[in-house]
Structure formats: C-alpha cells, structure tokens
Amino acid sequence: MRKYGVEVEFISRISRPALCRKIKDETGINVIEAGYSDRDTSSWRLKTDSSLSHGGLELVTPILNDMDDLQKLKSVIKVIADNGRINASCGLHVHTDARNTETKQVKKLIKYISKYELALNKLVSSSRRGESRWCKDNFTRLRYSDETPTKFFKRLNTKNTRQLLEIADGGDRYVKWNFRNYMQHGSVENRMHQGSLNADKIEQWVLLNQAIVNCAFDKRGTRVLTTQDWNTYKLKDMLTELVGRGYLSLAQKSYFLTRADELNR
C-alpha cells in the first residue's frame, strides 16, 4: 500500500479542545490543535479552516502507511461524526504517495485520470463536478476544443515532467487532482470528493485512490482509440480494469457502481 494522508473538513458542534479530548478518550489517539499553515506530517491535527462555515475544522492525518492506519482513521472519524456535521462547503482530500517516479510514470497517471475524468465525476455530488469552486475539472476545461483523446495524448507525449504538471492543473491548485505537492513532496492530492463523516465511505475512497495511482503507474500505458471521444470511457470500464488487474475487488466494483447510481438519479 502506498503511503497516504487524508484531510476531512467538517463543522464541529463542540469546541476544538473538547473534540481533541473526546477523540483521545474514545480512541487513544492524540489529536493536537494546529494552525492552518502547520505542516507537521507526524501528528494527527485539528485545524481551523477559513473556507468553511462557522465552526469549520479540518482533521489532518499524519502520513499513513497501511490498513491498520486506515482503521485508526475510521475510529477518529466515528468520534467526529458523533460531534460534528458537514455541509456543502466541506470536502474530503486524499494524498497518495508518488515519490521516486519518472516523467514516463507521471505521464501515465495524467493520461489515466484524464481518460476517466468524466467517469469519475459520477462518484461525487453534482456540486463537486465541472467548475466547482474548490475542485475544478483538470482536463475538460484545459483541452483544446477539438482535442480528441488521441490528440491530447500525443500532446502529452512531447512534454517533460514540469510541463505535464502545468497541463494537469493549468496554474490552479483548486482542481480535482492537485499536483502542486508532487515536485516538493512527491504526492498527488485528490480534492474532488464532497465532505463526508461516513467512515466506510472514506475508507473506500482512499482505496480507490490507491487503485487508480497503482494501476496508472504499473500498467504499460493507457490506450485510447482514434474513433473514440471522451464520453466513450465509462466508470464501469475503469472499475472493470481495476478489478481485472487486482487493484479492487468485485465487491468494491459493485459498491462504486451503486454509489454512482445513487448520486446520478
């Protein structure tokens, strides 16, 4: 499992010190109060967040390593859920380790997530799609108007790492897949999910991010055909590939297809 980190935005019903104490009492995990600009990656932190409504806080995990750490996160989330809520201003951000990768692998990841950008939008609420303030689409708005998948991929093939990252975000960190930390810290941040205090949903979203990054890096390349447009590539196609390559289970595929159905009725 790749190293990862999670940021959970929410509205607290109790004070920050009181919530820290509750988490400690109920889980044994020490969560500290931290400033917004704090960059400590070794501690569990509760930060204030000016982008959220009154009482808005953000749980920021330390660098996590495995499924045991994911269970710790779920236990903390369950305490927060008992003492907080979410609204439309809240989001869920997942950082996935991508260190020690070459230009070729960065290119493969960008190709993979651009191919399935429209499909992945099916897994988030309508407020988090398209030109959402906090998580704009990466590629739909940055492709040339007549740029087919094959033309876009050919353009990517001529770029170095820094140029690829510029194409990925267009100079804006408020995009679904934020590569701003890649050059310095070697991580990729997925900002697209709406706020959630459902521990099981958060677990599955973390695992999907792991599957996407691993698949993109490990496969030989992402194929698109000259006869196909961007709407060709469906969520079911992506999930079927992830299952076939062993990155997700059939149960997880069913879970995400059900989630998509619920969010797109």
Side-chain angles (χ1 to χ4, degrees):
M1 192 170 190
R2 291 181 177 275
K3 294 180 184 296
Y4 60 101
V6 183
E7 300 166 1
V8 183
E9 298 175 342
F10 64 98
I11 312 299
S12 182
R13 296 191 179 95
I14 60 178
S15 70
R16 190 162 49 145
L19 184 54
C20 288
R21 288 194 297 271
K22 275 187 172 290
I23 294 171
K24 176 67 172 179
D25 291 343
E26 296 184 31
T27 70
I29 295 172
N30 187 45
V31 180
I32 64 173
E33 298 178 63
Y36 180 76
S37 61
D38 177 80
R39 293 292 181 266
D40 176 15
T41 59
S42 63
S43 302
W44 294 80
R45 292 155 287 160
L46 275 182
K47 296 183 176 184
T48 56
D49 191 329
S50 59
S51 70
L52 304 177
S53 303
H54 179 69
L57 295 176
E58 180 180 45
L59 172 73
V60 182
T61 71
I63 295 175
L64 305 178
N65 296 285
D66 50 30
M67 290 298 295
D68 287 341
D69 285 342
L70 192 51
Q71 295 309 307
K72 291 177 184 177
L73 171 61
K74 290 178 69 176
S75 69
V76 173
I77 292 299
K78 288 174 182 176
V79 178
I80 292 174
D82 289 338
N83 297 279
R85 60 183 177 85
I86 58 169
N87 62 21
S89 69
C90 300
L92 170 66
H93 306 160
V94 176
H95 296 257
T96 304
D97 181 41
R99 285 175 295 178
N100 303 317
T101 51
E102 302 173 350
T103 296
K104 177 174 65 175
Q105 290 172 293
V106 175
K107 192 178 300 176
K108 288 196 293 184
L109 178 58
I110 290 174
K111 284 182 175 180
Y112 195 85
I113 60 180
S114 66
K115 177 178 179 177
Y116 290 114
E117 181 169 65
L118 298 179
L120 281 166
N121 274 339
K122 301 290 186 182
L123 287 176
V124 296
S125 64
S126 58
S127 65
R128 309 289 288 188
R129 301 174 190 172
E131 287 300 294
S132 168
R133 177 182 178 187
W134 303 114
C135 58
K136 305 176 185 72
D137 284 345
N138 288 73
F139 305 103
T140 304
R141 66 197 180 94
L142 297 175
R143 293 192 298 262
Y144 302 138
S145 60
D146 63 343
E147 200 163 29
T148 63
T150 52
K151 287 181 179 178
F152 183 63
F153 278 26
K154 286 179 180 178
R155 179 155 66 98
L156 293 177
N157 288 339
T158 66
K159 307 301 182 184
N160 61 35
T161 298
R162 191 171 295 279
Q163 291 168 331
L164 288 167
L165 300 183
E166 289 172 357
I167 290 174
D169 64 25
D172 189 346
R173 67 181 288 261
Y174 295 114
V175 288
K176 288 185 169 64
W177 293 86
N178 175 25
F179 286 83
R180 289 301 177 91
N181 285 329
Y182 174 80
M183 295 300 285
Q184 184 175 1
H185 302 294
S187 65
V188 179
E189 178 189 24
N190 185 332
R191 301 174 53 86
M192 69 188 296
H193 202 286
Q194 64 273 10
S196 177
L197 292 178
N198 183 306
D200 292 330
K201 288 180 180 178
I202 292 173
E203 175 184 36
Q204 290 304 319
W205 189 245
V206 169
L207 295 176
L208 179 61
N209 275 264
Q210 291 272 329
I212 289 170
V213 174
N214 282 325
C215 184
F217 283 164
D218 294 346
K219 64 188 296 191
R220 290 184 63 185
T222 295
R223 289 188 64 209
V224 291
L225 301 179
T226 56
T227 56
Q228 297 174 333
D229 64 22
W230 295 102
N231 291 304
T232 301
Y233 309 109
K234 307 299 184 184
L235 178 65
K236 186 176 181 180
D237 300 330
M238 185 193 76
L239 295 172
T240 297
E241 178 181 31
L242 294 178
V243 171
R245 292 180 177 272
Y247 299 108
L248 289 180
S249 67
L250 282 171
Q252 287 174 302
K253 175 183 176 181
S254 177
Y255 165 82
F256 285 115
L257 288 175
T258 299
R259 284 288 294 146
D261 183 61
E262 293 169 348
L263 289 163
N264 292 278
R265 287 174 181 168

